[in-house]
Amino acid sequence: MTLTRRDALGVGLGGVALAAAPARAAPAFASLRPAAAARSFVSPAVEREIVRVGALIADPKLRWMFANCYPNTLDTTVRMGVVDGALDAFVITGDIPCLWLRDSSAQLTPYLHLVRGDPALATLFRGLIARQARSILIDPYANAFLEDPTAKTDLDWALHDRTEMKPGVAERKWEIDSLCYPMRLAHGYWQATHDPAPFDAQWAAAARLSVATFRAQQRKDGPGPYRFLRASDRNIETVPLEGWGNPSRAVGLIHSAFRPSDDACVYPFLIPSNLFAVTALRELATVATGARQDAELAADARALADEVEHALRAYGRMRLRDGREVWAYEVDGFGNALFMDDANVPSLSGLAYLGCAAPRDPLWRRTRDAAWSDANPYFFRGAAGEGIGGPHVGLRQIWPTSLIVRALSSDDPAVIRRCLKTLRDSDAGTGFIHESFDQDDPTRFTRRWFAWANGLFGELIVRLATSRPALLGQPL
C-alpha cells in the first residue's frame, strides 16, 4: 500500500510507521478475536475449520496465531449490504477503510474451499464479486475504492493527485493485478460452486471493460488514456515523464504504472503481472463460457492471453551476471531489464502459488532461487530471519507475505518448517501477521492490522493441514 500511511504509534525508517511491540503476548494465548457479537461477519463453516485445523497444530503459539489470523477478514473487515436490490459486500483492507481490488480478492481466497457448504459465506462471495464489478465500471484504472460510490476520496495522500479522479475512487494507481484478482476470485467461486448467480450483465460488462483496458495498455496506438502524477519526495509514489511512464516499445506486453506494492514501476512491463494476466484471462474465459455461455467474451480473453504469452516468451526473460536465464522483474521492450523481487503478489517468487508457473518448472525455480539470494537487492537476512521486502517500506524490512508464499510454493519440508518458525517468532507478541518487520528486531514492524497478510497465513496453515499434517503435528 501507499508509503504515506501512518501508524498512530510513530514513524520509523524512511517515514514508514514502525510500531512498538506490546509488553508481552496475551496470557496463555487468549483469543484476540472480537467478541462474537462484534464480528463483522460470521461463517459457521469457518468456525468449524478453525477447530478442525487447530487440533492438528502441535505448536501452541502457532495454533493461537492461526485462530487469530484465519478469521480476521470476517471478524473485522466485512460490510454487508444491498445495492439496487442486489447483494453487496464491501471488504476493507484493514487499517484503511477502503476496498482494494487486489486485497479484497486475496482476503476471501482462504475461504473458497468452504463456500459450497455455507450459504452465509456464499452470500459474501456473491456480494464482493458484485461490488468489484461495480467498482471496475466506475474506473478500471483505479486500485482502491470508497464504500460510497458518490463520495470523493478522503485519503490525504491522494487528494491532489494529477489524474482523472472520479467519485467512488479512493486511489487511482494503475496496476495490472488490480484487474487480474477479480478474475481470479470469480474463477475460484465458479469452480467451487458452479453458481451462475454473480455472473450477470453487470459482471460481464466489467469483464469486457477489463479486457479492453488491458488492450489499451498494450499501447499499440499511442500512450492511451491513463497518466498519473503525485507531489511526493519519493520517486516510487509518482510516474515519470509527465505521468506516462518511462519509454517502452510496443511488443504486445501490457504496461503497468505501478506494482502490486502500489510503488511505481521502473520499466513499464512488469513481468510477474503480465504472467498473472495470462493466467487470469484464461480463467475469465472459463467463467464466461461456463456461467454465461458468452463465447465472444471468452474468445477475446483467450486471444489476448495468447498474445501476451507470446510476447513474454520473446521479451520477458533475462540473464543474470552468472549466466542463469531467469524471468525479469521489469523490461521495456528495447532490451533493458531489471532483476529484483518484491514481496507483494504477483511476484517472481509467487508465480507457482498463482498458477502462472509449474512448481517444478526449471525457469521458475532458477528465478525463485535468485529472488531468495543476494541477486535480489530486496532480499534481506538478519538475526530475526530472512525474506524478501521491497522499496515500499525501505531496506532491512522483511515482509511475512514472502515467507508465506515461499512455504505455499515449496515441496521441501525443511524450507516450510523454517518459514513457519520465522512467522511464529516475528509477530512481536501480537498474535497477528504484519506488513513487515526489521530483519534484526521483529518488535519494529509496520501495520498492526493487515487482513491480507493474516488471511494468507491462514491459507498456508489450512493447506498444510491437508497436504502435510505431520509437519503441523510436530513442535517447531
Side-chain angles (χ1 to χ4, degrees), residues 134-201:
R134 286 193 295 273
S135 298
I136 291 167
L137 290 170
I138 290 172
D139 187 353
Y141 287 104
N143 56 326
F145 295 85
L146 304 168
E147 186 170 11
D148 180 357
T150 68
K152 294 183 178 180
T153 186
D154 57 357
L155 300 181
D156 56 3
W157 57 85
L159 290 175
H160 305 293
D161 289 345
R162 290 170 57 190
T163 189
E164 189 183 350
M165 290 293 286
K166 299 178 180 180
V169 170
E171 186 174 57
R172 194 175 190 250
K173 288 183 170 181
W174 162 238
E175 302 158 5
I176 293 172
D177 67 281
S178 289
L179 296 182
C180 292
Y181 269 103
M183 297 178 191
R184 168 62 52 91
L185 182 71
H187 179 261
Y189 180 79
W190 171 249
Q191 293 294 98
T193 65
H194 285 280
D195 170 20
F199 307 113
D200 55 12

Side-chain angles (χ1 to χ4, degrees), residues 115-135:
V115 70
R116 190 166 185 174
D118 187 340
L121 197 57
T123 64
L124 172 57
F125 276 84
R126 290 198 296 269
L128 181 58
I129 290 169
R131 166 64 77 151
Q132 289 181 340
R134 286 193 295 273
S135 298

